[in-house]
Amino acid sequence: MNVDPWALCDVLADPPEARGAVLLHFLDGFMDAGSAGRGVVDYLFDEFEHTPVASFDVDQLIDYRSRRPNLTFALDRWSDFEAPQLVVYLMRDRSERPFLLLTGPEPDFAWERFVDATEDLIDHWNVPLTVGFQGIPMGVPHTRELGMTVHATRPELVFDNRPMFNEVTVPGNAAGLLEYRLGESGRDAVGLSVHVPHYVMQMTYPAATIRLLEGIREATGLDLPSDPALEDDRSRVDADIAEQVAESEEVSDVVKSLEEQYDSFTEAAEADEMLQEGRMPTADELGAAFEHFLAERQRPDDD
């Protein structure tokens, strides 16, 4: 059955500035360790004016019984309903360059129709690049620079990337399907996944949001200024984590072990000329290089 994707989405406004603008997207509901992606959206809303230019029909996309919206009761009546919204906003960066942001709850239903409708919006506004972002949990220490997995529909769009694995299967998600379908149709799309220490994935981790913003700047060229409040939050959270680690010998040992593993992997990767040449090694090659490095470290010192 063919269904018109425009039946799922309404264009609320059609300003000329939207044409040729990059599209950022973040959907609530799947993986976002450290609230890294949500932090980016909050930053954009706080920093820039935003005008709704398109809206999706959430009645066709959301399972209200699994994610019940809030209803407010006041004295003798229902006074408010927080209806979910999946909206595309037009924004302008510090240099007045326009860009689009699609955000809201991840659809529960009709993923393919959602992707079709989004592709129609991309074609309607001649969007040259689509960028998604999120936080993912990793067995890495908070005391090291946060890594980021960059993936894209063309190898030329991938930047600043040191692969942590060659292949992995994860639960499906609408944002991932969107990027996959965009690649199938020959459109440019980039995904940014910042590596969040797994032991802080449930808390708000500003350092991960800052890392994503750096990635968005590099991928798009948008002029997104650093946020002093976000930097202050990072310093405060880092200090809180350091204090908790210092108070627990068990936690301290875990962090130390992660530091050693991280440093070993980093040193082995830097020494591997295959990576220097830009060729991605296989899982067996990575494992062999890592085992060789550990053997060298464990070998007794020569006279």
Side-chain angles (χ1 to χ4, degrees), residues 20-21 75 78 101 103 113 128 134 139 169 174 232 272 277-278 288-289 294 300:
L75 295 178
W78 294 109
L101 172 66
T103 191
R113 289 181 59 204
Q134 65 178 149
T169 300
D232 290 343
D272 194 319
E277 294 171 356
L294 289 180

Side-chain angles (χ1 to χ4, degrees), residues 266-285:
T266 301
E267 292 174 21
E270 290 177 348
D272 194 319
E273 65 180 15
M274 290 180 299
L275 285 179
Q276 300 296 330
E277 294 171 356
R279 182 173 74 83
M280 182 183 293
T282 66
D284 290 340
E285 290 169 337

